Every structure is written in structure tokens, then in C-alpha cells.
């Protein structure tokens, strides 16, 4: 029994039933398939995170955001007048997280690529694009660069899904994707 | 790995295959169990974080 | 044997109990149950708060109790109980006194003091940082100190386990290799050492930072090392509850492992690879390479998953073999139909096995796939998944074994045995509910650790799909049911200890059958085929493959990222 020492002194050489051997082999093959799926998706799949990231001073990142906002704001929204920014296709787009908002509102074009930079001014936040359901972690002091191509148009919400204090559940931003 | 073990000087261990002896040694297992994640997870991970470049755009 | 040690042989089960070890097992297990009660109560309150129409707690209390729930249920309850398991698997199964019982008591008290300190800090309200306590968000220094003290206590207990192994070897209280259950406990203890060491590496500097001695804690570095502790501690649970499955198979059925070699190899895979999976929590972080993520999140090519899939066959397989030997040989499943479903020791263990595999295991591997994590990270899918592993898996297993242990340790009969029969089912169904419904809500994007499903106070609002609110309501109802089941468990345990009928010392014909002579003798495997278990395993694999690719399909539908 499992609560007693093995009965045979040299259990390593005990015969193994074929059912067990088969199961081990099947499970091993499945394990390897699952392993290969990840590199496979890096080559043939369309949803992979880049390895591109930088150490960045929050203030410096904030300036980058302000530069972009100054150049490409097209209107304002919400009670607090949050700028809606439509940066050029293919450009570096900056989105910052801070207690408790996402700044600014971005307006992107469907089917076009953007280099999205994510960083936080203060605590950790969670970028959760809804209802698409893309979730990325946003750290203070780090710039996470992800190349995104929206595949659908409409109005999207960016929910903060990393707990960031008592206002966490009020931290929702917005993003627009236009057809052309 | 089977009959080779006969020449072990320690009488107690004679005939016991290498893998069984390894699994009967808690402190060897402890060593491996601590080194594996320390090297592959912690050290590798910490090195990657430490070498993240500074933003220059 | 040492002159100082007193011991007894349990008349009913034949188990050996060293006096000190027995007391420590009792105290650790009971203290654990108290924290389970507290943590579980908070859990129910949270499930009710996340139920959109009920929403009972105010925001600050929700985050406060969420922090306490995570700590008390996940860490305090489980680690206390695991200390009991370690002492049982070493002292009792090896028939040797516990090494350094004074140290073990010191460990116990440190754990208790640490747990109380941290709880007080959280309940005072200035440490609602979640049990993960990611900087730069700061808790009260005593919050970190409490966790450190608790961990030191647990480390001392773990070393007493190792010491007891050495003592048993020296005194030759057993021959040959460790019993499989003890080997599994050793796996848990090894992982515990790494877990606690990682915790020290990160929490000590964090404590100094909260006191103002260190200016800056890098959040990414913190998160990486913190999860070496946070996730590995879950792997202690897995190793411990799998060992307890083997234990229960042995005490209820007299089952013998199908093959010592295969089962031990499966534990060996755990020792080598299981802890790498701490990377599950860092799959969508900046700055860690895909190579690091893939290698670690897959436990080096899913070899630890292989280990779990092996246990998934060999645990029920050993039961099947034992049952067939007793004559339950008809068809594929007579052995299972004729199992003692009215005995909570068995029913709890078996439901735990099934739910851990189907609900917890499959979803964990899928969520831990580098790219698929993008559509699940930090959604309610995550707590849905781990309530299937750590509640349906570990907690239910520990409940099941308590039905065996508590009457044996306290020499009392089970109080309210009629309720006990049902308790495991009520709890299991409730827990299955919270797991599945939180996962369902998570699939629809609902955030975890989030007080307001309606975003009422947000400048820019957002509405979750109506189905999400329905799932959250079902989660609330299931939470009530799990709460009922959990409370029943605590009542039965406390009642047994206080008011259970005292057992006479004459060996009675016990409900838990005394370990019969081993079911099959030497050369275990060659003797009995376990076709029923094999079929169950194939059903499991089919489900796994299907659900795995369904999620790749979901992923393929989201925006392109590179
Ligand atoms: C009556 C039983 C239980 C119920 C109804 C319950 C319910 C919940 C709910 C609703 C959440 C919050 C999800 C969120 O908004 O993020 C949660 C979180 C959690 N639960 Fe439970 N739970 C129960 C038992 C347990 C047990 C026994 C454990 C551990 C063994 C556990 C471990 C956790 C952990 C670690 C978290 C995450 C806390 C965090 O995000 O910081 N739960 N639970
Ligand atoms: Cu936030
Ligand atoms: Cu937040």
C-alpha cells in the first residue's frame, strides 16, 4: 500500500502494466504537442506579444504622451474633456495609465498597424480591452511595446483589471476604431 | 544502469539501480528541486529584467 | 526509540502515533480549519458582492475582505493543514518519533502569530493590497512582517519533516524506500523550501522598503520573485493533495499503487519541473522574453503536466485494481459504482480528483499557454480556475481526509454523520459552481478583483454583456451553497472534537476498513488490468484536447498583436 514502503526492494525493475505504459506515452505526446503549439503560433499565429520593452522614467513617458496629444487631438470627450487622439497609421502610439484613468482616448483605423506603448505613472494597472478581451499588464517604469492591428471597428472600453486601490473600479478608458 | 551497480562498495546499496537510489535520497532531490527553478525561473528571469534597455526614442 | 517519546498504536487503524506528532497534527489541522471558516465566510460575502443585483459590501470592505480571503483561505488554512500532513506522512507512516518537536511547536506558534498579525493589519483597513501586495502600492510594515513570520514558522515545520526522515533512516524504523505517500509529502516539502526561500528574497526587502530603509522596489522584479513563492505554494498543495489521494485509496480500499516506479516518477517530475510554472502569472508582462515564458510556463515541455496526468490514471487505477480484486469485476465500471459513495472520505476524495482534473487542470494548462493567456489574464477566469484547483482539489481533499483523521486522532466518533455524508456533495457542487461561473464570466471579459460590474462611478462607462451578470448571479448562488457546505464541515469537525461520542479503546469494527493485507502482492502491475480507469483517462484527454483548441480558436479571433 501507498502508506507502506514498497514490498519489493527493487521496485525500479518491477514490470509495468501495458495500460500504464500506453497512458504515459499518450500523455507525453500530448504534452509535446502542447509545447510545440506556442512556438508554432509565434510563426503562424497573429496574436503574439513582442519582446520589446524599455525601462522608462514615468515623466519622460508622460511627455511623449503629451507630444502625441498636442499633435493629433481631434476632439474632446467626457465631463473632464479627455482628448481623443487619432495618430497616423504605423506610428508610435502612447497610452498611459494612472490613478484612475487611461489617457488619452485613442482613435485607430481598422486593419492598420500601430506601435502601442503602455506604461503607468504610479501603480500597476491592467490593460483590458473590452469586449475584445485583450489583457496586458502595465507597470510603472516600464514601457511595453505591442504592435496592434484592430480587426473590427467600433467603440471599445479599456478596463483596469489589476487592482489599483480604492478607485480601481472607476478606472475605465475608451478606444475607437474607425472603418476608414 | 542495471547490473553495473554491483561494484558499489557500500553493501547496503548493492544491486539497487541508480534511479532508485536517487529517488531514495531526499537531500539530493531537495538540491535538484531548489536548483532547477532557481536557475531557469529566477536567475534567467531576473537577468532578462535587469537587461531591459533604457528608452531612447 | 528515544526514551523521551511516548507513542500509541491506534487500535482501530493500526497507525502509529508519536505523542508530540499527534498533538502537532491535531493543533495544526484544527487551527487550519478555523482559518478556513473565516476565509470561507469572507468568500461568500465576496461572491454576494460580485452578484450585480445583491452587491452587499461597500467598496472598501470588498477589497479589504478580498485581501483577507486570499490570505486566510489560500495561505493560512492550507499551510497549517499541510504541516499536519507532513507530520503524519513522516512520523506516523514511518513509525518514528518526530524529530525536534520543540522546534515544530515553535514553528506552529510563529505561524499562528504571523497569521494573526497580518490579519489584524488587513482588518484595520490600511493594508487592502491583496495578498499579492504588488508595489509600489504599500501596506503597513506589519503586514509583510506577519507573512514573513508565518513563513519562517512553516520553514521550521518543513525542516522537522526532513529531520524525521533522517531519524527514521537512522533508527531503521522502515526498510527500503519511503512509502509512496511519504515520497509525495517529500515532494511537497521540497517545493516548500523553494517557496519560502523565494518569499524571503522578496518580502524582506519589501518590508525594509515599507519601513523606509530602501527607496525603491522594482515592480517587475517583485512580481517575478513573488510568484516564485505564490505559485510554488500552490504546487505544495498539489503535491500534498495528490499524496493524500494515495493515502485515502490505501486506507479506504487497501489499494496499492499500480506501479511504484511510475507513481514515483510522476512525483519526480513535480520536483524537477512543477515550480517553473510560476511563469503562468507573467505571460503578459513587459520585458520577459517569449523563450523564458514558453520554457517556464510549460514546465519544460509540460513534463509536470505529464506527472499530473500519470497520477490521474494511477490513483483511480489503484482503486479499480483493489476493487476488482475484491470481486467488483463486472463491466467497465462496477468497481466505481460499488465504491462507498456514502463515506465522505471516499466521496470527497474522488470528486476532488475529478474536479481537479477536469475543471482545474485543463483550464490551468490552457490559461498557462503563453498566447492564450492574453484573453484570460486578470479576468474572473483566473479565480474560476484556481477555485477548481485549490478549493475543489486541495481543500476538498483535506476535508475528506479530515473525516478519517479527526475521529482517529481525537478518539471520538463523528458528530452528525448524516450531515457528513452530504457535506462533501454540497460543497463540491457549490465549488464546481463558483469555478465554472467565474470562468464563464471571465470568458466574457469580466475583471477579477473588481467591485463594480456596472462601472457606475467611471467617467467613461461600459456595460458587460447581460450573460455576464447572469453568470455572476449563478456564482453568488453557488457561493452560498459552497458556504453552506464549508460551514457544515467546520461544524462537524468542531462538534466531533467537543461532543463526539468517546471511542472505547477496544478495537471496534470501524467504518474505515482496517488496511487489509495488500491487495496484490509482488510485481504489482502485471496482475490486474484497469480498463475502466483507462476509459476515464481517455475521456479526460478528449475533453482536454477539444477545450484546448476551442481556446486557440477564441484567441485567433481577437485583434492582431505582434
Ligand atoms: C465558500 C467558499 C468560497 C467562495 C464562495 C469563494 C469566493 C471567492 C470570490 C467571489 C473571490 C473574488 C473573485 C474576484 O472578484 O476577484 C475569491 C477570490 C479568491 N479565493 Fe475564494 N472562495 C471560497 C473559498 C476559497 C478557498 C477555500 C480558497 C483557498 C483555498 C480560496 C482562495 C481564493 C483566492 C486566493 C482568491 C483571490 C484573492 C485575490 O484576488 O486577491 N477561496 N473567492
Ligand atoms: Cu488601474
Ligand atoms: Cu485597477
Amino acid at each position: 500500500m501507498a502508506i507502506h514502503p514498497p514490498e519489493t526492494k527493487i521496485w525500479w525493475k518491477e514490470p509495468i502494466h501495458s495500460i500504464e505504459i500506453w497512458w504515459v506515452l499518450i500523455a507525453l505526446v500530448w504534452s509535446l504537442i502542447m509545447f510545440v503549439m506556442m512556438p508554432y503560433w509565434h510563426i503562424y499565429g497573429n496574436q503574439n506579444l513582442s519582446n520589446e520593452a524599455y525601462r522608462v522614467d514615468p515623466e519622460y513617458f508622460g511627455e511623449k504622451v503629451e507630444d502625441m496629444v498636442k499633435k493629433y487631438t481631434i476632439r474632446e470627450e467626457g465631463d473632464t474633456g479627455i482628448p481623443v487622439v487619432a495618430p497616423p497609421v504605423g506610428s508610435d502610439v502612447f497610452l498611459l495609465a494612472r490613478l484612475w484613468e487611461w489617457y488619452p482616448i485613442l482613435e485607430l483605423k481598422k486593419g492598420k498597424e500601430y506601435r502601442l506603448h503602455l506604461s503607468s505613472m504610479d501603480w500597476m494597472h491592467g490593460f483590458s480591452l473590452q469586449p475584445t478581451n485583450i489583457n496586458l499588464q502595465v507597470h510603472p517604469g516600464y514601457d511595453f511595446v505591442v504592435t496592434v492591428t484592430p480587426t473590427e471597428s467600433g467603440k471599445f472600453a479599456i478596463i483596469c483589471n489589476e487592482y489599483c486601490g480604492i478607485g480601481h473600479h472607476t478606472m475605465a478608458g475608451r478606444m475607437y476604431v474607425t472603418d476608414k | 544502469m542495471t547490473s553495473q551497480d554491483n561494484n558499489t562498495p557500500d553493501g547496503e546499496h548493492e544491486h539497487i539501480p541508480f534511479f532508485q537510489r536517487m529517488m531514495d535520497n531526499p537531500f539530493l532531490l531537495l538540491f535538484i528541486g531548489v536548483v532547477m527553478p532557481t536557475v531557469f525561473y529566477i536567475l534567467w528571469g531576473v537577468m532578462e529584467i535587469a537587461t531591459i534597455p533604457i528608452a531612447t526614442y | 526509540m528515544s526514551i523521551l517519546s511516548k507513542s500509541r498504536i491506534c487500535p482501530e487503524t493500526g497507525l502509529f502515533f508519536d505523542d508530540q506528532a499527534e498533538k502537532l497534527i491535531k493543533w495544526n489541522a484544527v487551527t487550519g480549519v478555523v482559518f478556513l471558516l473565516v476565509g470561507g465566510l469572507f468568500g461568500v460575502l465576496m461572491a454576494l458582492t460580485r452578484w450585480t443585483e445583491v452587491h452587499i459590501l461597500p467598496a472598501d470592505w470588498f477589497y479589504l475582505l478580498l485581501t483577507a480571503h486570499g490570505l486566510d483561505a489560500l495561505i493560512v488554512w492550507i499551510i497549517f493543514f499541510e504541516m499536519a500532513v507532513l507530520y503524519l506522512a513522516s512520523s506516523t507512516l514511518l513509525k518514528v518519533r518526530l524529530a525536534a518537536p520543540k522546534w515544530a511547536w515553535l514553528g506552529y506558534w510563529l505561524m499562528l502569530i504571523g497569521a494573526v498579525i497580518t490579519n489584524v493589519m488587513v482588518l484595520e483597513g490600511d493594508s487592502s493590497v491583496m495578498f499579492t501586495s504588488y508595489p509600489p502600492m504599500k501596506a503597513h510594515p506589519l503586514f509583510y512582517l506577519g507573512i514573513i513570520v508565518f513563513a519562517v514558522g512553516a520553514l521550521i515545520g518543513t525542516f522537522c519533516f526532513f529531520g524525521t526522515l533522517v531519524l527514521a533512516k537512522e533508527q531503521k524504523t522502515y526498510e527500503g524506500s519511503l512509502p509512496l505517500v511519504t515520497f509525495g509529502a517529500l515532494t511537497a516539502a521540497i517545493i516548500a523550501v523553494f517557496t519560502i526561500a523565494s518569499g524571503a528574497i522578496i518580502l524582506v526587502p519589501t518590508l525594509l522598503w515599507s519601513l523606509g530603509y530602501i527607496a525603491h522596489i522594482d515592480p517587475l522584479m517583485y512580481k517575478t520573485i513573488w510568484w516564485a513563492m505564490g505559485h510554488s505554494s500552490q504546487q505544495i498543495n498539489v503535491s500534498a493533495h495528490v499524496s493524500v489521494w494515495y493515502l485515502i485509496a490505501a486506507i479506504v480500499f487497501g489499494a496499492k499503487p499500480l506501479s511504484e516506479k511510475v507513481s514515483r516518477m510522476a512525483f519526480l517530475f513535480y520536483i524537477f519541473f512543477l515550480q517553473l510554472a510560476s511563469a503562468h502569472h507573467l505571460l503578459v508582462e513587459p520585458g520577459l522574453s517569449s523563450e523564458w515564458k514558453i520554457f517556464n510556463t510549460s514546465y519544460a515541455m509540460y513534463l509536470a503536466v505529464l506527472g499530473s496526468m500519470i497520477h490521474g490514471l494511477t490513483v483511480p487505477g489503484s482503486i479499480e485494481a483493489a476493487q476488482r480484486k475484491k470481486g467488483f469485476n463486472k463491466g467497465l465500471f462496477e468497481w466505481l459504482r460499488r465504491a462507498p459513495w456514502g463515506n465522505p472520505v471516499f466521496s470527497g476524495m474522488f470528486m476532488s480528483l475529478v474536479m481537479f482534473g477536469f475543471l482545474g487542470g485543463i483550464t490551468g494548462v490552457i490559461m498557462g499557454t503563453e498566447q492564450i493567456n492574453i484573453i484570460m489574464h486578470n479576468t474572473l477566469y483566473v479565480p474560476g480556475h484556481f477555485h477548481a484547483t485549490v478549493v475543489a482539489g486541495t481543500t476538498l481533499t483535506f476535508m475528506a481526509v479530515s473525516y478519517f483523521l479527526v475521529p482517529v486522532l481525537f478518539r471520538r466518533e463523528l458528530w452528525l454523520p448524516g450531515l457528513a455524508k452530504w457535506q462533501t456533495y454540497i460543497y463540491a457542487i457549490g465549488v464546481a459552481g463558483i469555478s465554472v461561473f467565474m470562468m464563464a464570466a471571465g470568458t466574457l471579459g469580466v475583471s477579477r478583483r473588481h467591485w463594480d460590474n456596472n462601472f457606475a462611478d467611471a467617467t467613461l462607462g461600459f456595460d458587460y454583456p447581460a450573460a455576464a451578470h447572469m453568470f455572476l448571479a449563478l456564482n453568488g448562488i453557488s457561493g452560498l451553497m459552497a458556504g453552506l457546505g464549508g460551514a457544515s464541515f467546520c461544524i462537524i469537525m468542531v462538534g466531533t472534537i467537543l461532543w463526539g461520542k468517546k471511542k472505547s479503546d477496544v478495537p471496534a469494527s470501524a467504518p474505515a476498513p482496517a488496511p487489509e493485507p495488500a491487495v496484490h502482492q509482488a510485481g504489482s502491475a502485471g496482475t490486474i488490468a484497469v480498463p475502466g480507469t483507462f476509459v476515464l483517462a481517455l475521456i479526460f484527454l478528449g475533453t482536454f484536447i477539444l477545450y484546448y483548441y476551442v481556446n486557440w480558436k477564441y484567441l485567433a479571433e481577437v485583434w492582431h498583436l505582434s
Side-chain angles (χ1 to χ4, degrees), chain C residues 394-414:
Chain C
T394 312
T395 303
L396 188 53
T397 299
F398 287 176
M399 285 179 174
V401 78
S402 301
Y403 283 113
F404 167 76
L405 274 184
V406 170
V408 167
L409 291 169
F410 289 89
R411 310 285 310 122
R412 283 174 190 268
E413 275 166 31
L414 211 55

Side-chain angles (χ1 to χ4, degrees), chain A:
Chain A
M1 286 199 300
I3 55 175
H4 297 146
E7 283 155 31
T8 355
K9 195 164 177 214
I10 302 185
W11 44 263
W12 184 260
K13 290 185 192 157
E14 273 183 7
I16 300 170
H17 197 283
S18 57
I19 283 182
E20 257 188 305
I21 297 181
W22 273 109
W23 177 247
V24 173
L25 287 178
I26 294 170
L28 177 65
V29 170
W30 173 236
S31 297
L32 294 178
I33 292 174
M34 288 193 298
F35 179 69
V36 171
M37 273 309 290
M38 291 186 282
Y40 169 87
W41 200 262
H42 272 281
I43 301 168
Y44 299 104
N46 287 319
Q47 292 80 15
N48 292 290
L49 297 182
S50 77
N51 292 334
E52 191 177 350
Y54 302 98
R55 212 174 280 283
V56 68
D57 181 47
E59 264 172 40
Y60 181 73
F61 191 85
E63 285 164 23
K64 285 283 165 192
V65 176
E66 277 316 326
D67 287 352
M68 179 190 74
V69 169
K70 262 192 217 118
K71 274 197 226 153
Y72 305 116
T73 298
I74 50 172
R75 60 176 188 276
E76 289 185 347
E77 238 177 60
D79 308 336
T80 47
I82 308 166
V84 179
V85 179
V89 168
S91 69
D92 285 275
V93 176
F94 296 86
L95 180 66
L96 73 76
R98 65 185 165 212
L99 302 172
W100 285 286
E101 64 168 349
W102 297 96
Y103 179 87
I105 296 174
L106 297 171
E107 183 167 305
L108 309 180
K109 289 201 168 68
K110 182 179 160 183
K112 303 289 187 223
E113 259 185 26
Y114 297 86
R115 277 168 54 80
L116 178 64
H117 295 249
L118 293 166
S119 191
S120 161
M121 296 291 103
D122 34 58
W123 291 352
M124 246 190 244
H125 298 278
F127 172 95
S128 177
L129 189 71
Q130 297 298 338
T132 311
N133 209 2
I134 292 174
N135 304 280
L136 305 169
Q137 194 79 32
V138 183
H139 284 259
Y142 290 97
D143 172 10
F144 193 1
V145 189
V146 185
T147 306
V148 296
T149 311
T151 53
E152 51 191 342
S153 55
K155 182 167 125 181
F156 299 87
I158 305 168
I159 305 301
C160 178
N161 71 0
E162 182 60 76
Y163 173 68
C164 54
I166 191 63
H168 166 56
H169 48 270
T170 65
M171 184 163 167
R174 191 163 288 171
M175 191 186 282
Y176 291 96
V177 178
T178 55
D179 270 317
K180 266 284 138 13

